[in-house]
C-alpha cells in the first residue's frame, strides 16, 4: 500500500535528482536567468529558478520528460496534448495561446550530409513554450539545440537586446533564420557540382533522382 509518506519521499528524491542533473554541461536540460538591466546570462539551478524574479530560460531535449516535472515544480503545468506535440518528430509549424502560456513549434533545417557531391538536409521541430517569466525550448534531438549559442552568450556574459522571455525567443528565432541563410553555401556547392557533371562531355551523369 502506497502511503503519503512514501509519495513525499519519492517527490523529494525526484526533486533532488532534477536539481543535481539540471545545468550540468551535457545534461538534457539547461537553465539560465537573464538580467534585463545588464543582459547577462547566469546559469542557475531549478531551486534558484523557482525563486528567481528574473526571466528564466530552460533549454531541454524531449529524450525524457524531466522538463515537464521541472515546469510543474515551478507552477507551470503543460497541457497533455502539447506534451505529446513535443514528442512528434513530424509536427508541422504550430501556434496556440493558453491561459498560462503560449506555444510555438518551428521546424529547423539540419544538414544530415554536407558533402559537396551529396547534400542532404532534414527538418526537425523545435518547441517554444513562453510566458512572462519562463521561456522553455524543447528539441527533438541535440542536432538542433542552442548549446553553441548559449555557450557563446555565457562566455561573453551577455545577450544583447534581451529584456524579456519574448525578447529572448525572438532572438532565438532570428538565429534559426540565420542558420537557413548559412546553408546557401552548401546549396550552391551542390548545384555547381551537378552543373559540372551535366556539362562534362566525358561524364556519364545518371543521378537524376538526386537532381
Amino acid at each position: 500500500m502506497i502511503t503519503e509518506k512514501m509519495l513525499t519521499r519519492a517527490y523529494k528524491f525526484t526533486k533532488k535528482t532534477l536539481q543535481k542533473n539540471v545545468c550540468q554541461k551535457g545534461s538534457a536540460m539547461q537553465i539560465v536567468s537573464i538580467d534585463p538591466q545588464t543582459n547577462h546570462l547566469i546559469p542557475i539551478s531549478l531551486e534558484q529558478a523557482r525563486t528567481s524574479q528574473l526571466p528564466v530560460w530552460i533549454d531541454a531535449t524531449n529524450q525524457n520528460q524531466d522538463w515537464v516535472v521541472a515546469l510543474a515544480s515551478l507552477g507551470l503545468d503543460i497541457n497533455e496534448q502539447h506534451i505529446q506535440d513535443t514528442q512528434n518528430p513530424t509536427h508541422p509549424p504550430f501556434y496556440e495561446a493558453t491561459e498560462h502560456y503560449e506555444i510555438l513549434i518551428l521546424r529547423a533545417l539540419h544538414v544530415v550530409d554536407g558533402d559537396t557531391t551529396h547534400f542532404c538536409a532534414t527538418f526537425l521541430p523545435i518547441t517554444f513554450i513562453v510566458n512572462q517569466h519562463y521561456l522553455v525550448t524543447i528539441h527533438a534531438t541535440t542536432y538542433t539545440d542552442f548549446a553553441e549559442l548559449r555557450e557563446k552568450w555565457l562566455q561573453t556574459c551577455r545577450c544583447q537586446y534581451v529584456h524579456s522571455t519574448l525578447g529572448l525567443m525572438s532572438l532565438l528565432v532570428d538565429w534559426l533564420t540565420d542558420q537557413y541563410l548559412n546553408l546557401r553555401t552548401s546549396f550552391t556547392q551542390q548545384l555547381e557540382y551537378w552543373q559540372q557533371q551535366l556539362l562534362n562531355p566525358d561524364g556519364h551523369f545518371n543521378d537524376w533522382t538526386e537532381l
Side-chain angles (χ1 to χ4, degrees):
M1 180 178 179
I2 300 176
T3 65
E4 182 178 350
K5 184 176 181 181
M6 293 170 64
L7 289 173
T8 302
R9 186 176 300 173
Y11 169 77
K12 289 182 177 179
F13 174 78
T14 302
K15 176 181 173 182
K16 183 177 180 181
T17 302
L18 278 171
Q19 291 174 349
K20 180 179 179 182
N21 292 333
V22 162
C23 290
Q24 292 182 352
K25 191 172 183 180
S27 70
M29 184 162 51
Q30 301 287 326
I31 304 179
V32 297
S33 64
I34 308 136
D35 188 334
Q37 301 300 320
T38 63
N39 291 330
H40 286 185
L41 265 65
I42 308 167
I44 61 174
S45 67
L46 183 60
E47 185 64 33
Q48 289 172 318
R50 187 176 293 110
T51 58
S52 175
Q53 299 301 311
L54 300 175
V56 172
W57 174 25
I58 301 175
D59 191 37
T61 64
N62 63 9
Q63 297 169 354
N64 54 57
Q65 293 192 0
D66 282 355
W67 65 272
V68 179
V69 179
L71 290 184
S73 73
L74 296 174
L76 183 58
D77 292 322
I78 305 301
N79 181 282
E80 181 60 35
Q81 181 58 57
H82 292 159
I83 295 175
Q84 294 178 21
D85 289 340
T86 68
Q87 305 291 319
N88 183 357
T90 62
H91 203 292
F94 171 79
Y95 170 81
E96 186 173 3
T98 72
E99 182 180 356
H100 301 293
Y101 62 86
E102 297 173 78
I103 180 171
L104 172 69
I105 298 179
L106 300 178
R107 296 190 64 80
L109 192 59
H110 166 61
V111 178
V112 178
D113 187 352
D115 185 84
T116 305
T117 62
H118 184 72
F119 180 82
C120 183
T122 185
F123 289 91
L124 297 170
I126 298 178
T127 303
F128 297 82
I129 296 174
V130 63
N131 64 12
Q132 186 175 4
H133 193 56
Y134 299 112
L135 169 65
V136 187
T137 49
I138 304 113
H139 312 266
T141 74
T142 56
Y143 294 119
T144 60
D145 68 15
F146 296 116
E148 181 180 346
L149 183 61
R150 184 176 55 251
E151 287 300 317
K152 176 182 176 181
W153 286 342
L154 288 172
Q155 288 173 8
T156 58
C157 295
R158 63 185 304 154
C159 174
Q160 292 185 340
Y161 312 120
V162 172
H163 304 288
S164 65
T165 52
L166 284 174
L168 177 58
M169 185 175 78
S170 177
L171 202 61
L172 293 174
V173 171
D174 285 346
W175 183 80
L176 289 174
T177 303
D178 289 341
Q179 304 315 298
Y180 280 94
L181 298 177
N182 289 339
L183 290 175
R184 288 179 297 181
T185 300
S186 298
F187 278 123
T188 301
Q189 290 175 344
Q190 177 72 87
L191 290 174
E192 288 177 348
Y193 168 76
W194 281 333
Q195 184 181 52
Q196 291 171 2
Q197 296 301 307
L198 287 169
L199 297 178
N200 184 1
D202 299 322
H204 301 282
F205 183 82
N206 58 7
D207 199 358
W208 300 108
T209 301
E210 286 294 326
L211 180 60

